[in-house]
Amino acid sequence: SGGGRLLERIRKWYYNAAGFNKLGLMRDDTLHEDDDVKEALKRLPEHVYNERVFRIKRALDLSLKHQILPKDQWVKYEEDHHYLEPYLKEVIRERHEREAWNKK
């Protein structure tokens, strides 16, 4: 539908306007690290965690130098995936279960 395509174009525009992709970051790299996110990070496979650390360190370095990556190295909207989301959903579900159990 036309409305769906428009919404997708707006999402792409917003993704690029946010600017984190120009530093080589993915959406999940920018999440605020609350207790749930910290626990989810502990559950990531080692190589995924190491890739995240690399992206964040590179972005910090670029930011300090007031630089961005060459355009061909920007993370593209279509290539960005929520690598942390399944782990985070599991952590939140477990926390809700614990909270419900503790109310009994």
Side-chain angles (χ1 to χ4, degrees), residues 9-91:
R9 285 178 41 209
I10 291 170
R11 284 184 182 141
K12 278 185 177 181
W13 173 85
Y14 183 78
Y15 181 86
N16 287 312
F20 57 82
N21 65 319
K22 296 171 186 164
L23 298 172
L25 294 172
M26 299 175 102
R27 283 176 286 222
D28 285 358
D29 297 335
T30 66
L31 292 174
H32 172 71
E33 289 191 24
D34 61 14
D35 290 339
D36 290 337
V37 172
K38 287 177 184 175
E39 179 59 33
L41 288 170
K42 290 178 187 175
R43 298 179 185 197
L44 283 175
E46 186 176 4
H47 75 281
V48 175
Y49 180 79
N50 290 339
E51 290 168 359
R52 171 191 166 89
V53 170
F54 171 79
R55 287 190 304 269
I56 291 172
K57 284 184 176 183
R58 178 180 57 187
L60 287 170
D61 184 54
L62 288 166
S63 182
L64 286 170
K65 295 175 181 176
H66 300 285
Q67 296 176 344
I68 60 172
L69 290 171
K71 191 165 186 166
D72 64 329
Q73 294 181 35
W74 293 2
V75 177
K76 294 169 188 60
Y77 176 82
E78 298 79 14
E79 296 169 355
D80 195 333
H81 61 282
H82 296 284
Y83 65 89
L84 192 59
E85 186 175 11
Y87 301 95
L88 187 55
K89 283 182 176 179
E90 182 180 324
V91 167

